[in-house]
Amino acid sequence: MRKKLHIKKGDTVIVNAGESRGQEGKVLEVIVDKQRAIVEGVNMMSKHTKPNAANPQGGIIKKEAPIHISNLNVKDPSTGKATRIGRKLNDNNKLVRYAKKSGEEIK
């Protein structure tokens, strides 16, 4: 069985390592089998494109490249700092993610 990841699509994350360290953004996509995520405005790359129907001009397009999830931390909803994620049962016996720093539930 594959281990569950600590980030999900739609989370606001902070990059804690690499060239984009300190930047934050929203997770657009999670690639589970490669353990990578595409984060809005983080790890930008230049893609050279030929002219086509979608882009008749062609040229260089800035695009987000996937970043490994070990380099990402979820942003704590109460403090705004990077935090680790835990899982616990809430009052309705439903497993929810919570911020380990503040104990606040992550929606």
PDB file of all heavy atoms in Angstrom, residues 4-38:
ATOM      1  N   LYS A   4       0.257   7.775   2.342  1.00  0.00           N
ATOM      2  CA  LYS A   4      -0.498   8.990   2.038  1.00  0.00           C
ATOM      3  C   LYS A   4       0.419  10.198   2.057  1.00  0.00           C
ATOM      4  O   LYS A   4       1.344  10.287   2.867  1.00  0.00           O
ATOM      5  CB  LYS A   4      -1.616   9.187   3.074  1.00  0.00           C
ATOM      6  CG  LYS A   4      -2.971   8.925   2.492  1.00  0.00           C
ATOM      7  CD  LYS A   4      -4.058   9.320   3.454  1.00  0.00           C
ATOM      8  CE  LYS A   4      -5.389   9.126   2.769  1.00  0.00           C
ATOM      9  NZ  LYS A   4      -6.499   9.314   3.643  1.00  0.00           N
ATOM     10  N   LEU A   5       0.145  11.144   1.168  1.00  0.00           N
ATOM     11  CA  LEU A   5       0.961  12.353   1.087  1.00  0.00           C
ATOM     12  C   LEU A   5       0.416  13.424   2.019  1.00  0.00           C
ATOM     13  O   LEU A   5      -0.771  13.444   2.320  1.00  0.00           O
ATOM     14  CB  LEU A   5       0.975  12.871  -0.349  1.00  0.00           C
ATOM     15  CG  LEU A   5       1.461  11.890  -1.412  1.00  0.00           C
ATOM     16  CD1 LEU A   5       1.430  12.539  -2.778  1.00  0.00           C
ATOM     17  CD2 LEU A   5       2.853  11.398  -1.106  1.00  0.00           C
ATOM     18  N   HIS A   6       1.300  14.333   2.457  1.00  0.00           N
ATOM     19  CA  HIS A   6       0.892  15.369   3.407  1.00  0.00           C
ATOM     20  C   HIS A   6       0.313  16.604   2.724  1.00  0.00           C
ATOM     21  O   HIS A   6      -0.154  17.507   3.406  1.00  0.00           O
ATOM     22  CB  HIS A   6       2.057  15.749   4.313  1.00  0.00           C
ATOM     23  CG  HIS A   6       3.217  16.373   3.606  1.00  0.00           C
ATOM     24  ND1 HIS A   6       4.169  15.609   2.961  1.00  0.00           N
ATOM     25  CD2 HIS A   6       3.578  17.650   3.415  1.00  0.00           C
ATOM     26  CE1 HIS A   6       5.059  16.417   2.424  1.00  0.00           C
ATOM     27  NE2 HIS A   6       4.720  17.670   2.683  1.00  0.00           N
ATOM     28  N   ILE A   7       0.375  16.652   1.393  1.00  0.00           N
ATOM     29  CA  ILE A   7      -0.216  17.806   0.695  1.00  0.00           C
ATOM     30  C   ILE A   7      -1.297  17.342  -0.265  1.00  0.00           C
ATOM     31  O   ILE A   7      -1.271  16.219  -0.742  1.00  0.00           O
ATOM     32  CB  ILE A   7       0.839  18.644  -0.053  1.00  0.00           C
ATOM     33  CG1 ILE A   7       1.577  17.791  -1.067  1.00  0.00           C
ATOM     34  CG2 ILE A   7       1.791  19.316   0.894  1.00  0.00           C
ATOM     35  CD1 ILE A   7       2.360  18.592  -2.052  1.00  0.00           C
ATOM     36  N   LYS A   8      -2.238  18.239  -0.506  1.00  0.00           N
ATOM     37  CA  LYS A   8      -3.341  17.972  -1.419  1.00  0.00           C
ATOM     38  C   LYS A   8      -3.478  19.141  -2.378  1.00  0.00           C
ATOM     39  O   LYS A   8      -2.993  20.234  -2.109  1.00  0.00           O
ATOM     40  CB  LYS A   8      -4.665  17.867  -0.652  1.00  0.00           C
ATOM     41  CG  LYS A   8      -4.876  16.592   0.115  1.00  0.00           C
ATOM     42  CD  LYS A   8      -6.253  16.638   0.741  1.00  0.00           C
ATOM     43  CE  LYS A   8      -6.591  15.349   1.457  1.00  0.00           C
ATOM     44  NZ  LYS A   8      -7.935  15.404   2.035  1.00  0.00           N
ATOM     45  N   LYS A   9      -4.185  18.900  -3.465  1.00  0.00           N
ATOM     46  CA  LYS A   9      -4.492  19.961  -4.420  1.00  0.00           C
ATOM     47  C   LYS A   9      -5.300  21.038  -3.692  1.00  0.00           C
ATOM     48  O   LYS A   9      -6.230  20.734  -2.951  1.00  0.00           O
ATOM     49  CB  LYS A   9      -5.300  19.366  -5.573  1.00  0.00           C
ATOM     50  CG  LYS A   9      -5.666  20.338  -6.651  1.00  0.00           C
ATOM     51  CD  LYS A   9      -6.449  19.634  -7.750  1.00  0.00           C
ATOM     52  CE  LYS A   9      -6.927  20.611  -8.780  1.00  0.00           C
ATOM     53  NZ  LYS A   9      -7.649  19.937  -9.879  1.00  0.00           N
ATOM     54  N   GLY A  10      -4.922  22.303  -3.885  1.00  0.00           N
ATOM     55  CA  GLY A  10      -5.632  23.405  -3.241  1.00  0.00           C
ATOM     56  C   GLY A  10      -4.975  23.901  -1.970  1.00  0.00           C
ATOM     57  O   GLY A  10      -5.317  24.978  -1.482  1.00  0.00           O
ATOM     58  N   ASP A  11      -4.023  23.147  -1.400  1.00  0.00           N
ATOM     59  CA  ASP A  11      -3.309  23.589  -0.201  1.00  0.00           C
ATOM     60  C   ASP A  11      -2.420  24.785  -0.522  1.00  0.00           C
ATOM     61  O   ASP A  11      -1.878  24.884  -1.622  1.00  0.00           O
ATOM     62  CB  ASP A  11      -2.400  22.471   0.337  1.00  0.00           C
ATOM     63  CG  ASP A  11      -3.150  21.407   1.098  1.00  0.00           C
ATOM     64  OD1 ASP A  11      -4.335  21.615   1.395  1.00  0.00           O
ATOM     65  OD2 ASP A  11      -2.550  20.351   1.393  1.00  0.00           O
ATOM     66  N   THR A  12      -2.234  25.667   0.453  1.00  0.00           N
ATOM     67  CA  THR A  12      -1.234  26.725   0.341  1.00  0.00           C
ATOM     68  C   THR A  12       0.029  26.195   1.000  1.00  0.00           C
ATOM     69  O   THR A  12       0.006  25.790   2.157  1.00  0.00           O
ATOM     70  CB  THR A  12      -1.699  28.010   1.050  1.00  0.00           C
ATOM     71  OG1 THR A  12      -2.965  28.386   0.507  1.00  0.00           O
ATOM     72  CG2 THR A  12      -0.722  29.142   0.813  1.00  0.00           C
ATOM     73  N   VAL A  13       1.124  26.150   0.228  1.00  0.00           N
ATOM     74  CA  VAL A  13       2.366  25.561   0.733  1.00  0.00           C
ATOM     75  C   VAL A  13       3.508  26.559   0.678  1.00  0.00           C
ATOM     76  O   VAL A  13       3.469  27.539  -0.062  1.00  0.00           O
ATOM     77  CB  VAL A  13       2.754  24.294  -0.073  1.00  0.00           C
ATOM     78  CG1 VAL A  13       1.764  23.180   0.145  1.00  0.00           C
ATOM     79  CG2 VAL A  13       2.911  24.583  -1.544  1.00  0.00           C
ATOM     80  N   ILE A  14       4.544  26.287   1.494  1.00  0.00           N
ATOM     81  CA  ILE A  14       5.762  27.084   1.533  1.00  0.00           C
ATOM     82  C   ILE A  14       6.906  26.161   1.142  1.00  0.00           C
ATOM     83  O   ILE A  14       7.004  25.029   1.631  1.00  0.00           O
ATOM     84  CB  ILE A  14       5.984  27.660   2.946  1.00  0.00           C
ATOM     85  CG1 ILE A  14       4.830  28.598   3.315  1.00  0.00           C
ATOM     86  CG2 ILE A  14       7.317  28.392   3.026  1.00  0.00           C
ATOM     87  CD1 ILE A  14       4.834  29.071   4.750  1.00  0.00           C
ATOM     88  N   VAL A  15       7.777  26.635   0.245  1.00  0.00           N
ATOM     89  CA  VAL A  15       8.927  25.842  -0.195  1.00  0.00           C
ATOM     90  C   VAL A  15      10.028  25.992   0.841  1.00  0.00           C
ATOM     91  O   VAL A  15      10.406  27.105   1.199  1.00  0.00           O
ATOM     92  CB  VAL A  15       9.423  26.310  -1.588  1.00  0.00           C
ATOM     93  CG1 VAL A  15      10.595  25.463  -2.055  1.00  0.00           C
ATOM     94  CG2 VAL A  15       8.297  26.260  -2.596  1.00  0.00           C
ATOM     95  N   ASN A  16      10.533  24.863   1.364  1.00  0.00           N
ATOM     96  CA  ASN A  16      11.541  24.933   2.427  1.00  0.00           C
ATOM     97  C   ASN A  16      12.944  24.555   1.962  1.00  0.00           C
ATOM     98  O   ASN A  16      13.876  24.552   2.753  1.00  0.00           O
ATOM     99  CB  ASN A  16      11.124  24.075   3.627  1.00  0.00           C
ATOM    100  CG  ASN A  16      10.972  22.616   3.289  1.00  0.00           C
ATOM    101  OD1 ASN A  16      11.506  22.141   2.300  1.00  0.00           O
ATOM    102  ND2 ASN A  16      10.228  21.892   4.096  1.00  0.00           N
ATOM    103  N   ALA A  17      13.123  24.228   0.686  1.00  0.00           N
ATOM    104  CA  ALA A  17      14.453  23.877   0.176  1.00  0.00           C
ATOM    105  C   ALA A  17      14.508  24.121  -1.316  1.00  0.00           C
ATOM    106  O   ALA A  17      13.484  24.139  -1.992  1.00  0.00           O
ATOM    107  CB  ALA A  17      14.757  22.420   0.480  1.00  0.00           C
ATOM    108  N   GLY A  18      15.727  24.316  -1.813  1.00  0.00           N
ATOM    109  CA  GLY A  18      15.921  24.460  -3.247  1.00  0.00           C
ATOM    110  C   GLY A  18      15.976  25.903  -3.697  1.00  0.00           C
ATOM    111  O   GLY A  18      16.018  26.838  -2.894  1.00  0.00           O
ATOM    112  N   GLU A  19      15.957  26.079  -5.020  1.00  0.00           N
ATOM    113  CA  GLU A  19      16.093  27.397  -5.629  1.00  0.00           C
ATOM    114  C   GLU A  19      14.944  28.326  -5.261  1.00  0.00           C
ATOM    115  O   GLU A  19      15.124  29.533  -5.135  1.00  0.00           O
ATOM    116  CB  GLU A  19      16.150  27.219  -7.150  1.00  0.00           C
ATOM    117  CG  GLU A  19      16.885  28.311  -7.880  1.00  0.00           C
ATOM    118  CD  GLU A  19      16.988  28.012  -9.360  1.00  0.00           C
ATOM    119  OE1 GLU A  19      17.775  27.108  -9.716  1.00  0.00           O
ATOM    120  OE2 GLU A  19      16.287  28.668 -10.136  1.00  0.00           O
ATOM    121  N   SER A  20      13.753  27.773  -5.090  1.00  0.00           N
ATOM    122  CA  SER A  20      12.549  28.572  -4.802  1.00  0.00           C
ATOM    123  C   SER A  20      12.272  28.686  -3.307  1.00  0.00           C
ATOM    124  O   SER A  20      11.145  28.980  -2.905  1.00  0.00           O
ATOM    125  CB  SER A  20      11.344  27.948  -5.501  1.00  0.00           C
ATOM    126  OG  SER A  20      11.564  27.836  -6.872  1.00  0.00           O
ATOM    127  N   ARG A  21      13.266  28.456  -2.464  1.00  0.00           N
ATOM    128  CA  ARG A  21      13.086  28.444  -1.016  1.00  0.00           C
ATOM    129  C   ARG A  21      12.447  29.744  -0.511  1.00  0.00           C
ATOM    130  O   ARG A  21      12.840  30.842  -0.910  1.00  0.00           O
ATOM    131  CB  ARG A  21      14.440  28.262  -0.334  1.00  0.00           C
ATOM    132  CG  ARG A  21      14.336  28.207   1.162  1.00  0.00           C
ATOM    133  CD  ARG A  21      15.688  28.053   1.807  1.00  0.00           C
ATOM    134  NE  ARG A  21      15.480  27.963   3.247  1.00  0.00           N
ATOM    135  CZ  ARG A  21      16.285  27.322   4.058  1.00  0.00           C
ATOM    136  NH1 ARG A  21      17.347  26.725   3.605  1.00  0.00           N
ATOM    137  NH2 ARG A  21      16.018  27.286   5.335  1.00  0.00           N
ATOM    138  N   GLY A  22      11.454  29.602   0.375  1.00  0.00           N
ATOM    139  CA  GLY A  22      10.794  30.755   0.963  1.00  0.00           C
ATOM    140  C   GLY A  22       9.560  31.197   0.205  1.00  0.00           C
ATOM    141  O   GLY A  22       8.733  31.919   0.739  1.00  0.00           O
ATOM    142  N   GLN A  23       9.418  30.754  -1.040  1.00  0.00           N
ATOM    143  CA  GLN A  23       8.242  31.142  -1.825  1.00  0.00           C
ATOM    144  C   GLN A  23       7.037  30.335  -1.377  1.00  0.00           C
ATOM    145  O   GLN A  23       7.172  29.230  -0.859  1.00  0.00           O
ATOM    146  CB  GLN A  23       8.478  30.903  -3.317  1.00  0.00           C
ATOM    147  CG  GLN A  23       9.497  31.824  -3.930  1.00  0.00           C
ATOM    148  CD  GLN A  23       9.637  31.590  -5.420  1.00  0.00           C
ATOM    149  OE1 GLN A  23       9.214  30.588  -5.955  1.00  0.00           O
ATOM    150  NE2 GLN A  23      10.249  32.553  -6.092  1.00  0.00           N
ATOM    151  N   GLU A  24       5.858  30.911  -1.572  1.00  0.00           N
ATOM    152  CA  GLU A  24       4.640  30.159  -1.263  1.00  0.00           C
ATOM    153  C   GLU A  24       3.661  30.270  -2.409  1.00  0.00           C
ATOM    154  O   GLU A  24       3.732  31.194  -3.221  1.00  0.00           O
ATOM    155  CB  GLU A  24       4.012  30.625   0.043  1.00  0.00           C
ATOM    156  CG  GLU A  24       3.664  32.088   0.140  1.00  0.00           C
ATOM    157  CD  GLU A  24       3.076  32.433   1.493  1.00  0.00           C
ATOM    158  OE1 GLU A  24       3.848  32.506   2.469  1.00  0.00           O
ATOM    159  OE2 GLU A  24       1.861  32.634   1.564  1.00  0.00           O
ATOM    160  N   GLY A  25       2.779  29.299  -2.477  1.00  0.00           N
ATOM    161  CA  GLY A  25       1.790  29.276  -3.541  1.00  0.00           C
ATOM    162  C   GLY A  25       0.779  28.173  -3.312  1.00  0.00           C
ATOM    163  O   GLY A  25       0.885  27.399  -2.361  1.00  0.00           O
ATOM    164  N   LYS A  26      -0.188  28.108  -4.204  1.00  0.00           N
ATOM    165  CA  LYS A  26      -1.266  27.132  -4.113  1.00  0.00           C
ATOM    166  C   LYS A  26      -0.903  25.907  -4.947  1.00  0.00           C
ATOM    167  O   LYS A  26      -0.377  26.039  -6.052  1.00  0.00           O
ATOM    168  CB  LYS A  26      -2.545  27.773  -4.644  1.00  0.00           C
ATOM    169  CG  LYS A  26      -3.812  27.077  -4.297  1.00  0.00           C
ATOM    170  CD  LYS A  26      -4.990  27.913  -4.760  1.00  0.00           C
ATOM    171  CE  LYS A  26      -6.287  27.194  -4.498  1.00  0.00           C
ATOM    172  NZ  LYS A  26      -7.419  27.935  -5.045  1.00  0.00           N
ATOM    173  N   VAL A  27      -1.174  24.717  -4.423  1.00  0.00           N
ATOM    174  CA  VAL A  27      -0.891  23.480  -5.154  1.00  0.00           C
ATOM    175  C   VAL A  27      -1.922  23.321  -6.263  1.00  0.00           C
ATOM    176  O   VAL A  27      -3.127  23.287  -6.004  1.00  0.00           O
ATOM    177  CB  VAL A  27      -0.912  22.255  -4.203  1.00  0.00           C
ATOM    178  CG1 VAL A  27      -0.701  20.972  -4.993  1.00  0.00           C
ATOM    179  CG2 VAL A  27       0.143  22.385  -3.127  1.00  0.00           C
ATOM    180  N   LEU A  28      -1.442  23.248  -7.508  1.00  0.00           N
ATOM    181  CA  LEU A  28      -2.326  23.094  -8.662  1.00  0.00           C
ATOM    182  C   LEU A  28      -2.575  21.629  -8.994  1.00  0.00           C
ATOM    183  O   LEU A  28      -3.649  21.265  -9.458  1.00  0.00           O
ATOM    184  CB  LEU A  28      -1.719  23.793  -9.887  1.00  0.00           C
ATOM    185  CG  LEU A  28      -1.407  25.277  -9.739  1.00  0.00           C
ATOM    186  CD1 LEU A  28      -0.671  25.791 -10.955  1.00  0.00           C
ATOM    187  CD2 LEU A  28      -2.689  26.067  -9.525  1.00  0.00           C
ATOM    188  N   GLU A  29      -1.538  20.794  -8.765  1.00  0.00           N
ATOM    189  CA  GLU A  29      -1.635  19.379  -9.123  1.00  0.00           C
ATOM    190  C   GLU A  29      -0.646  18.588  -8.284  1.00  0.00           C
ATOM    191  O   GLU A  29       0.445  19.064  -7.980  1.00  0.00           O
ATOM    192  CB  GLU A  29      -1.284  19.229 -10.619  1.00  0.00           C
ATOM    193  CG  GLU A  29      -1.431  17.842 -11.160  1.00  0.00           C
ATOM    194  CD  GLU A  29      -0.929  17.721 -12.595  1.00  0.00           C
ATOM    195  OE1 GLU A  29      -0.738  18.753 -13.270  1.00  0.00           O
ATOM    196  OE2 GLU A  29      -0.723  16.581 -13.028  1.00  0.00           O
ATOM    197  N   VAL A  30      -1.026  17.361  -7.908  1.00  0.00           N
ATOM    198  CA  VAL A  30      -0.129  16.460  -7.193  1.00  0.00           C
ATOM    199  C   VAL A  30       0.081  15.227  -8.059  1.00  0.00           C
ATOM    200  O   VAL A  30      -0.885  14.583  -8.475  1.00  0.00           O
ATOM    201  CB  VAL A  30      -0.693  16.058  -5.812  1.00  0.00           C
ATOM    202  CG1 VAL A  30       0.219  15.066  -5.127  1.00  0.00           C
ATOM    203  CG2 VAL A  30      -0.892  17.274  -4.934  1.00  0.00           C
ATOM    204  N   ILE A  31       1.348  14.926  -8.361  1.00  0.00           N
ATOM    205  CA  ILE A  31       1.688  13.741  -9.147  1.00  0.00           C
ATOM    206  C   ILE A  31       2.114  12.670  -8.141  1.00  0.00           C
ATOM    207  O   ILE A  31       3.248  12.668  -7.667  1.00  0.00           O
ATOM    208  CB  ILE A  31       2.814  14.063 -10.152  1.00  0.00           C
ATOM    209  CG1 ILE A  31       2.410  15.262 -11.016  1.00  0.00           C
ATOM    210  CG2 ILE A  31       3.128  12.862 -11.023  1.00  0.00           C
ATOM    211  CD1 ILE A  31       3.551  16.006 -11.632  1.00  0.00           C
ATOM    212  N   VAL A  32       1.182  11.771  -7.799  1.00  0.00           N
ATOM    213  CA  VAL A  32       1.375  10.838  -6.687  1.00  0.00           C
ATOM    214  C   VAL A  32       2.494   9.839  -6.952  1.00  0.00           C
ATOM    215  O   VAL A  32       3.351   9.624  -6.091  1.00  0.00           O
ATOM    216  CB  VAL A  32       0.055  10.094  -6.363  1.00  0.00           C
ATOM    217  CG1 VAL A  32       0.247   9.120  -5.227  1.00  0.00           C
ATOM    218  CG2 VAL A  32      -1.031  11.086  -6.010  1.00  0.00           C
ATOM    219  N   ASP A  33       2.533   9.231  -8.142  1.00  0.00           N
ATOM    220  CA  ASP A  33       3.523   8.183  -8.385  1.00  0.00           C
ATOM    221  C   ASP A  33       4.959   8.706  -8.420  1.00  0.00           C
ATOM    222  O   ASP A  33       5.895   7.979  -8.089  1.00  0.00           O
ATOM    223  CB  ASP A  33       3.199   7.405  -9.667  1.00  0.00           C
ATOM    224  CG  ASP A  33       2.980   8.297 -10.875  1.00  0.00           C
ATOM    225  OD1 ASP A  33       2.322   9.333 -10.718  1.00  0.00           O
ATOM    226  OD2 ASP A  33       3.466   7.954 -11.969  1.00  0.00           O
ATOM    227  N   LYS A  34       5.154   9.983  -8.758  1.00  0.00           N
ATOM    228  CA  LYS A  34       6.490  10.583  -8.752  1.00  0.00           C
ATOM    229  C   LYS A  34       6.765  11.378  -7.478  1.00  0.00           C
ATOM    230  O   LYS A  34       7.849  11.940  -7.322  1.00  0.00           O
ATOM    231  CB  LYS A  34       6.660  11.496  -9.964  1.00  0.00           C
ATOM    232  CG  LYS A  34       6.765  10.744 -11.272  1.00  0.00           C
ATOM    233  CD  LYS A  34       7.110  11.695 -12.388  1.00  0.00           C
ATOM    234  CE  LYS A  34       7.309  10.949 -13.687  1.00  0.00           C
ATOM    235  NZ  LYS A  34       7.570  11.867 -14.811  1.00  0.00           N
ATOM    236  N   GLN A  35       5.771  11.477  -6.598  1.00  0.00           N
ATOM    237  CA  GLN A  35       5.848  12.241  -5.343  1.00  0.00           C
ATOM    238  C   GLN A  35       6.269  13.688  -5.599  1.00  0.00           C
ATOM    239  O   GLN A  35       7.167  14.234  -4.954  1.00  0.00           O
ATOM    240  CB  GLN A  35       6.799  11.570  -4.355  1.00  0.00           C
ATOM    241  CG  GLN A  35       6.277  10.239  -3.878  1.00  0.00           C
ATOM    242  CD  GLN A  35       6.654   9.941  -2.457  1.00  0.00           C
ATOM    243  OE1 GLN A  35       7.607  10.473  -1.926  1.00  0.00           O
ATOM    244  NE2 GLN A  35       5.886   9.079  -1.833  1.00  0.00           N
ATOM    245  N   ARG A  36       5.603  14.321  -6.557  1.00  0.00           N
ATOM    246  CA  ARG A  36       5.891  15.697  -6.913  1.00  0.00           C
ATOM    247  C   ARG A  36       4.608  16.495  -6.971  1.00  0.00           C
ATOM    248  O   ARG A  36       3.522  15.920  -7.070  1.00  0.00           O
ATOM    249  CB  ARG A  36       6.609  15.779  -8.268  1.00  0.00           C
ATOM    250  CG  ARG A  36       8.008  15.227  -8.192  1.00  0.00           C
ATOM    251  CD  ARG A  36       8.741  15.277  -9.504  1.00  0.00           C
ATOM    252  NE  ARG A  36      10.142  14.972  -9.301  1.00  0.00           N
ATOM    253  CZ  ARG A  36      11.073  15.884  -9.044  1.00  0.00           C
ATOM    254  NH1 ARG A  36      10.760  17.160  -8.978  1.00  0.00           N
ATOM    255  NH2 ARG A  36      12.318  15.537  -8.854  1.00  0.00           N
ATOM    256  N   ALA A  37       4.742  17.811  -6.887  1.00  0.00           N
ATOM    257  CA  ALA A  37       3.578  18.691  -6.951  1.00  0.00           C
ATOM    258  C   ALA A  37       3.909  19.896  -7.811  1.00  0.00           C
ATOM    259  O   ALA A  37       5.064  20.331  -7.874  1.00  0.00           O
ATOM    260  CB  ALA A  37       3.183  19.141  -5.554  1.00  0.00           C
ATOM    261  N   ILE A  38       2.891  20.431  -8.467  1.00  0.00           N
ATOM    262  CA  ILE A  38       3.043  21.658  -9.232  1.00  0.00           C
ATOM    263  C   ILE A  38       2.411  22.766  -8.409  1.00  0.00           C
ATOM    264  O   ILE A  38       1.232  22.698  -8.062  1.00  0.00           O
ATOM    265  CB  ILE A  38       2.390  21.537 -10.624  1.00  0.00           C
ATOM    266  CG1 ILE A  38       3.122  20.462 -11.431  1.00  0.00           C
ATOM    267  CG2 ILE A  38       2.411  22.873 -11.335  1.00  0.00           C
ATOM    268  CD1 ILE A  38       2.498  20.135 -12.760  1.00  0.00           C
TER     269      ILE A  38
END
